[in-house]
Structures are given as structure tokens and as C-alpha cells.
């Protein structure tokens, strides 16, 4: 659940954008969520800013995931939304995985389009991955 993290970031004055699913084969729209602005359900149990919220390219992307390995390879939920979104950005953001330590696997095959994580945050702490 990313809500506590998002709340802490918002409370600290850090700009936050939220992913919005536009279509099954489309990249996510990353919309700015400004303090006090309402959110609406946008599928997959997520909430999103309204359609008029500015679309932004973040410096940091926090990615919830299904599993990760010691090399920073991540396994998402199988729809490829983050892969398509990250590939379409004009610059590579810092990629931070958000998971439980128990979600670590020994090895996850990495395809050419898979961007490895830079950092991983779990209840056990923060892990930094070296560039591969």
C-alpha cells in the first residue's frame, strides 16, 4: 500500500504524481496530484487525479511490484504499463521499487525492455543496486 508513503510526501511538500491507466496497451499518464485535489477510482484499486490535472515526467518513480531479485530486476503484475511508460519518458527517472523483503526471488529473467531498479524500499530497509 503506497498511500502512507504518498501522504508523507505530500505532507512534506514534495510534488507527487499518480499513474492513470488510459487503455490496456497504452502507457500510463502520470498526473500531478496537488494538495486538496480530489481523487477518483481508476482501476486496479488505485485512485487518480482528475483528467484536467497536469501530466508530468517525474524525477523519481516509485513502483509497487510483485517480485524483485538481487540485481534489481523487477516483476510487475503482467500488463506492461510501467515498461511502456518508462520507455516513453524523455529522460530516465530514478526507479525505486516498493515491496516486502519476502518478495525477493533468486533470479528474474530480464528482457531488453526491462529497466532495472535503482533502489528498493522494503520493511527491512533500503537496498541500492549497481548499474548493470
Amino acid at each position: 500500500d503506497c498511500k502512507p508513503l504518498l501522504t508523507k510526501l505530500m505532507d512534506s511538500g514534495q510534488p507527487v504524481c499518480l499513474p492513470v491507466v488510459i487503455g490496456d496497451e497504452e502507457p500510463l499518464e502520470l498526473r500531478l496530484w496537488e494538495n486538496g485535489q480530489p481523487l477518483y477510482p481508476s482501476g486496479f484499486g488505485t485512485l487518480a487525479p482528475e483528467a484536467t490535472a497536469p501530466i508530468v515526467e517525474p524525477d523519481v518513480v516509485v513502483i509497487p511490484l510483485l517480485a524483485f531479485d538481487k540485481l534489481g530486476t523487477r516483476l510487475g503484475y503482467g500488463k506492461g504499463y510501467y515498461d511502456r511508460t518508462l520507455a516513453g519518458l524523455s529522460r530516465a527517472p530514478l526507479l525505486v521499487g516498493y515491496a516486502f523483503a519476502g518478495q525477493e526471488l533468486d533470479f528474474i529473467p530480464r528482457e531488453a525492455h526491462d529497466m532495472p531498479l535503482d533502489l528498493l524500499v522494503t520493511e527491512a530497509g533500503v537496498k541500492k543496486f549497481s548499474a548493470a
Side-chain angles (χ1 to χ4, degrees):
D1 184 4
C2 294
K3 285 181 267 189
L5 172 62
L6 296 174
T7 299
K8 192 168 205 135
L9 289 169
M10 291 286 286
D11 289 348
S12 74
Q14 177 66 43
V16 170
C17 66
L18 298 175
V20 181
V21 175
I22 303 302
D24 282 345
E25 299 299 319
E26 299 295 320
L28 299 165
E29 273 190 2
L30 302 174
R31 295 184 192 159
L32 185 64
W33 178 35
E34 298 180 284
N35 203 9
Q37 293 299 311
L39 297 173
Y40 69 90
S42 69
F44 300 99
T46 64
L47 297 173
E50 54 193 22
T52 58
I55 297 172
V56 298
E57 284 201 15
D59 297 322
V60 178
V61 175
V62 177
I63 304 176
L65 44 91
L66 185 60
F68 63 93
D69 69 14
K70 65 182 177 190
L71 300 175
T73 304
R74 63 180 175 80
L75 181 62
Y77 292 94
K79 295 279 190 176
Y81 290 114
Y82 278 100
D83 293 324
R84 284 190 297 279
T85 303
L86 296 171
L89 296 177
S90 65
R91 65 192 182 324
L94 183 74
L95 298 181
V96 180
Y98 198 66
F100 290 107
Q103 291 172 262
E104 184 172 4
L105 300 176
D106 290 333
F107 176 75
I108 298 172
R110 187 182 299 173
E111 296 183 27
H113 67 271
D114 291 330
M115 294 179 66
L117 299 169
D118 297 301
L119 299 168
L120 178 77
V121 177
T122 72
E123 77 283 6
V126 176
K127 182 174 184 171
K128 182 177 181 180
F129 299 101
S130 61

